[in-house]
Amino acid sequence: MAWTKYQLFLAGLMLTTGSINTLSAKWADLFSAKGCHGDPEHTFSHPFVQAVGMFLGEFSCLAVFYILLFHDRRSPEPRMNPGQRFNPLLFFPPAMCDMTATSIMYVALNMTSASSFQMLRGAVIIFTGLLSVAFLGRRLAPSQWIGIFITILGLVVVGLADFVSGHRDDSHKLSDVITGLFGFVVLSLLLIPMYFIHTGNFSDNPRQVLEDALDAFCQIGHKPLILLALLGNTVSIAFFNFAGISVTKEISATTRMVLDSLRTLVIWVVSLALGWEQFHGLQVLGFLVLLTGTALYNGLHRPVLARIPWCAARMNLEEDSSDAERERLLNNGRVQASEDT
C-alpha cells in the first residue's frame, strides 16, 4: 500500500527534526566563548542547560495542544477528544527517570561524537526488555533475546571504535508533554544547587561546578550562534515528538524504528561531511550489528520468515503468544474468560 502525502510528510519531518536535534546539540558543544567576569575563552560545556532546553521544547507542545483544543471547542461541532481525566502526578516518577537519563545523555554527548552518541542510544531496548521481564513478568520471544544479545555486541563494537579512534574527552504523546513539563520545572530548579556543587576536573566550566548556568548565559552573550544551536535543539524536539507519535499512529511502530535507524545514518553522514569526526570502519560494523539487533527485537524478521512454509507456522504461534501476553499485561495478569473457552 502506497503512502499518502501526509504520511510522507510525517516520515520526512521525523527524520529531519530528529537529526537536527542531535546535530544542533553537538554543534553547541563545539563552540568556545568567553564566560563571566573576564573568564578566558572555553568550550560550551553545559549539558544540564541543554537538557532544560529540550524539556522546554516538549513542554511547548502542551501550549499548542490547549490552543487547538480551545479552538475546537468554539466550533459548532467539536471533533477533538481531550481524553479521560487522570492525575498528572502519575507521570512524575517516569518524568524524573527521563530527566536523569536526558541529563546523562547530554553529558555523554560532550564526551563522544554525535554518531556514536546516537548509536549508543540503542541500549534502551536492552534495559526495556530486561526490566519488563523483571517487573512486569513479561515473556520475551527467542528472537527478542537474540536481538538483545546482538545489540550488546553492537554497543561493544561502537564503544571500541570510539576507544580506537581516541575520540573521547579525558578532561572530564500527551504523556511526553507532561514529562516535559515536570522535567523542565524540576531541572530548572536543580540548576540552583548545581551552581554550588563542586566536581573538580569532571566539569569544564571555570568554576568547576556541576552546572554553571550563569556562565552559559554569558557565553551565549559573547557568541550568539550558541543560542541558535540551543533553539535548534528546543524546536526540533517538539516537532520530532509530534512526528514520531504521528508516524506510529498513521503508519506503524516498525516504520518509526526504521526511520530512527535512518536518523542515525543521517547524523553520521552529516558529521563526516562537516568534519566533526573521521571515518572508522568499526563504526560501520557496529551500526550494522545494532541495526540487526534492533530489527530482531522489534520483529522485522517476521514478514520475511512468514514466506517460508516451515517457518510460517512458528511465526503464527509466536504471534498468538504475543497477543495473549499483551492481554495478560493489560488486564493486570488476569486471564480473560474468553481464553478459557
Side-chain angles (χ1 to χ4, degrees), residues 7-312:
Q7 290 174 332
L8 287 172
F9 166 74
L10 290 175
L13 183 65
M14 177 183 170
L15 184 60
T16 303
T17 55
S19 302
I20 291 175
N21 181 250
T22 300
L23 291 170
S24 59
K26 187 60 183 178
W27 186 32
D29 292 339
L30 297 175
F31 279 110
S32 293
K34 293 181 179 180
C36 302
H37 311 298
D39 289 330
E41 189 171 288
H42 53 279
T43 57
F44 186 83
S45 180
H46 298 283
F48 297 99
V49 172
Q50 288 179 300
V52 169
M54 193 215 72
F55 284 119
L56 177 61
E58 291 187 345
F59 178 40
S60 65
C61 295
L62 188 63
V64 176
F65 171 76
Y66 278 113
I67 290 173
L68 293 176
L69 185 62
F70 176 75
H71 182 268
D72 180 71
R73 285 179 174 176
R74 295 188 64 182
S75 63
E77 297 181 1
R79 297 181 180 180
M80 290 183 63
N81 179 15
Q84 65 181 23
R85 294 184 176 275
F86 60 90
N87 186 355
L89 291 178
L90 289 173
F91 290 95
F92 188 79
M96 294 303 95
C97 293
D98 188 34
M99 182 194 72
T100 305
T102 301
S103 301
I104 293 174
M105 283 196 305
Y106 279 112
V107 172
L109 186 58
N110 269 294
M111 300 179 178
T112 187
S113 63
S115 60
S116 293
F117 164 80
Q118 192 64 35
M119 292 180 193
L120 292 171
R121 292 179 72 175
V124 67
I125 70 170
I126 299 173
F127 297 100
T128 301
L130 295 179
L131 291 176
S132 66
V133 171
F135 293 100
L136 298 179
R138 184 182 176 190
R139 292 185 293 271
L140 298 181
S143 59
Q144 290 178 308
W145 283 111
I146 296 173
I148 288 176
F149 286 120
I150 292 178
T151 300
I152 294 174
L153 178 61
L155 293 173
V156 171
V157 175
V158 173
L160 184 62
D162 263 8
F163 181 80
V164 171
S165 65
H167 194 283
R168 57 191 185 278
D169 189 350
D170 294 329
S171 64
H172 57 2
K173 311 161 187 170
L174 187 59
S175 60
D176 287 339
V177 176
I178 297 175
T179 300
L181 167 61
F182 286 137
F184 172 70
V185 173
V186 174
L187 191 55
S188 297
L189 294 175
L190 286 177
L191 288 179
I192 299 174
M194 287 180 182
Y195 184 81
F196 300 99
I197 300 175
H198 288 269
T199 57
N201 294 329
F202 178 78
S203 177
D204 285 338
N205 57 69
R207 295 181 60 247
Q208 293 188 332
V209 293
L210 189 58
E211 181 59 281
D212 191 343
L214 294 181
D215 180 66
F217 289 119
C218 289
Q219 286 190 290
I220 292 172
H222 286 109
K223 186 158 291 187
L225 271 180
I226 298 177
L227 179 61
L228 179 62
L230 296 178
L231 286 176
N233 186 36
T234 301
V235 175
S236 62
I237 193 64
F239 284 98
F240 175 70
N241 279 348
F242 162 76
I245 294 172
S246 299
V247 165
T248 303
K249 179 181 177 181
E250 297 289 336
I251 310 175
S252 67
T254 301
T255 302
R256 180 174 181 172
M257 191 278 294
V258 173
L259 290 173
D260 212 36
S261 299
L262 289 176
R263 170 191 172 197
T264 304
L265 186 61
V266 170
I267 292 169
W268 184 39
V269 171
V270 172
S271 297
L272 289 174
L274 294 175
W276 291 357
E277 57 184 279
Q278 296 179 344
F279 177 84
H280 295 284
L282 273 177
Q283 273 195 323
V284 181
L285 177 61
F287 174 69
L288 293 176
V289 175
L290 280 172
L291 188 60
T292 302
T294 305
L296 282 173
Y297 185 85
N298 288 280
L300 262 67
H301 63 290
R302 290 178 179 176
V304 178
L305 294 181
R307 296 177 179 273
I308 304 175
W310 60 274
C311 290

